Amino acid sequence: MTHSRDNKPMFVNREPAEMTAEYKSWLSELKQRYRRAQVKAVVKVNGEMLNFYWELGRDICCMSKSAKYGDGLLKNITLDLQAAFPGDTGLSLSNIKSARRWYKTYSQWITKGQQPVDFFGPNAEDGLLTMPYFFANVPWGQHIFITAKAKSLHEALFYLSQVCEHGWSRSELEYYYSEDYYRKHSSAITNFDKRLPEGESELVKQMLKSPYNFEFLQMPVSYTERDFENELVKHITEFLLELGKGFSFVGRQMQLVMPNGATYYPDLIFYHIPTHRYVVCELKVVPFEPEFAGKLNFYVSAVDHLLRGKEDNQTIGLLICRSKDDTIVEWSFEAIERPIGVAEYEKEIKQLIDNLPTSEQIKKII
């Protein structure tokens, strides 16, 4: 065998050369491209395997309905696949059982009428489900855990969205589940099911939570809405982190002037980058009242008319109040045209005491 000069053995040493700014910029860009390629490759491989498990689970569920295959179907298919692909740990009996449970659980939820069926393909209502595209972004271990623990389709989709958004590992997912993360972050009441397109509403719900934890605030025992708003804006970084990933601050008390000269001031306006929509946020330091929903509906309509661009999705409203009665909120939504949600905030933010002694009183005590 002959070798060309270019293929002869050699040590690769760095050649003396100037590390120009242009080269450094190009190198940095190449590293980013390679990392993105690695991530895409992993996601693609993960997606192909997940789709295999999904279709395997679907086939087993369909074939199990026939008496001729009997109870030995799982063991037989495991042994036959392992014989064809020896040493492949992905074809263990436990994995194949998990594939069946994975598909069967979602199929049962859909059969019971839990929405949204559009995630699972055009034949979802007929009982043949297609794996939703975003399932490919979640590792198999997390899928197994969520299917085993979730009590409803909504809860499962919630945890799936959190894994996708935050990149939770299996241990992190187990921790947040043990902390009842779903219940704590999914009790905001919304009218999204009626005011947003089917399928979109379920994803947008994941933007909101209740209660919001504002323990980073330093508030007196008696505080006004303006005090509340001032402190939140003062701690805007912590506020954005508490709202969740992807929120960008647009403005506070933006003056809205109507043709008749009337002027209004919505408390806070954000933009949620992942879902491409404005979010109007109103703050209340008192329990929810029906008129709050009407005012927020007006502000959401104004943003839709004046700020929303052609590429933006429908604006939503978020009312954060001290407490809420679920029935009052739900009845208030019946006449509301725009998509809005109502959430509470943690009440453990009163960390300063109003009746501290004055300097004169302190002197007398001393």
Side-chain angles (χ1 to χ4, degrees), residues 279-326:
V279 180
V280 183
C281 181
E282 283 290 287
L283 306 169
K284 300 295 179 183
V285 297
V286 296
F288 175 84
E289 293 291 341
E291 56 265 30
F292 298 162
K295 190 69 168 291
L296 182 56
N297 182 74
F298 169 71
Y299 286 150
V300 172
S301 181
V303 171
D304 264 339
H305 282 290
L306 301 176
L307 298 181
R308 179 183 173 189
K310 293 181 180 180
E311 303 301 320
D312 295 327
N313 290 313
Q314 198 168 351
T315 305
I316 67 169
L318 169 61
L319 178 71
I320 302 177
C321 56
R322 188 173 183 83
S323 62
K324 58 181 172 60
D325 181 287
D326 292 356

Side-chain angles (χ1 to χ4, degrees), residues 44 59 126 136 155 243:
K44 184 175 181 180
D59 292 346
D126 298 329
E155 183 178 0
L243 286 176

Side-chain angles (χ1 to χ4, degrees), residues 137-288:
N137 298 321
V138 178
W140 178 231
Q142 283 84 318
H143 274 296
I144 293 175
F145 181 83
I146 291 171
T147 304
K149 297 295 185 179
K151 305 296 190 300
S152 66
L153 176 60
H154 186 275
E155 183 178 0
L157 292 176
F158 172 82
Y159 281 114
L160 287 171
S161 70
Q162 297 303 305
V163 172
C164 289
E165 182 176 349
H166 302 293
W168 286 350
S169 65
R170 172 70 179 264
S171 60
E172 287 174 322
L173 174 61
E174 292 177 358
Y175 167 76
Y176 283 109
Y177 180 83
S178 69
E179 292 292 305
D180 204 8
Y181 196 77
Y182 169 70
R183 185 189 63 80
K184 294 177 180 178
H185 290 72
S186 63
S187 58
I189 301 178
T190 74
N191 63 354
F192 294 167
D193 289 337
K194 296 180 179 179
R195 301 303 178 219
L196 290 173
E198 187 177 358
E200 181 184 348
S201 64
E202 200 67 30
L203 294 177
V204 178
K205 283 179 184 177
Q206 312 310 326
M207 293 168 51
L208 310 185
K209 63 183 180 181
S210 182
Y212 287 93
N213 185 351
F214 296 147
E215 62 181 8
F216 53 85
L217 300 182
Q218 295 282 321
M219 302 292 290
V221 172
S222 300
Y223 58 92
T224 66
E225 286 177 9
R226 182 52 59 90
D227 295 330
F228 190 27
E229 183 182 322
N230 286 340
E231 278 294 300
L232 285 173
V233 173
K234 181 180 176 181
H235 297 84
I236 190 63
T237 301
E238 292 89 343
F239 187 19
L240 288 171
L241 289 173
E242 180 59 19
L243 286 176
K245 187 176 180 180
F247 279 88
S248 176
F249 184 47
V250 176
R252 171 197 181 190
Q253 295 289 326
M254 294 174 64
Q255 190 175 34
L256 172 62
V257 181
M258 303 305 291
N260 65 353
T263 304
Y264 301 91
Y265 299 89
D267 288 343
L268 302 166
I269 297 178
F270 300 92
Y271 190 85
H272 190 247
I273 298 171
T275 61
H276 303 286
R277 69 180 73 246
Y278 285 96
V279 180
V280 183
C281 181
E282 283 290 287
L283 306 169
K284 300 295 179 183
V285 297
V286 296
F288 175 84

Side-chain angles (χ1 to χ4, degrees), residues 325-360:
D325 181 287
D326 292 356
T327 302
I328 295 176
V329 174
E330 290 167 359
W331 287 7
S332 300
F333 282 170
E334 291 183 1
I336 297 298
E337 296 296 326
R338 303 285 174 170
I340 64 175
V342 177
E344 297 172 293
Y345 64 88
E346 295 278 6
K347 302 169 185 64
E348 290 76 19
I349 67 172
K350 305 187 296 292
Q351 300 176 3
L352 300 181
I353 302 175
D354 281 342
N355 57 353
L356 288 173
T358 64
S359 59
E360 293 298 320

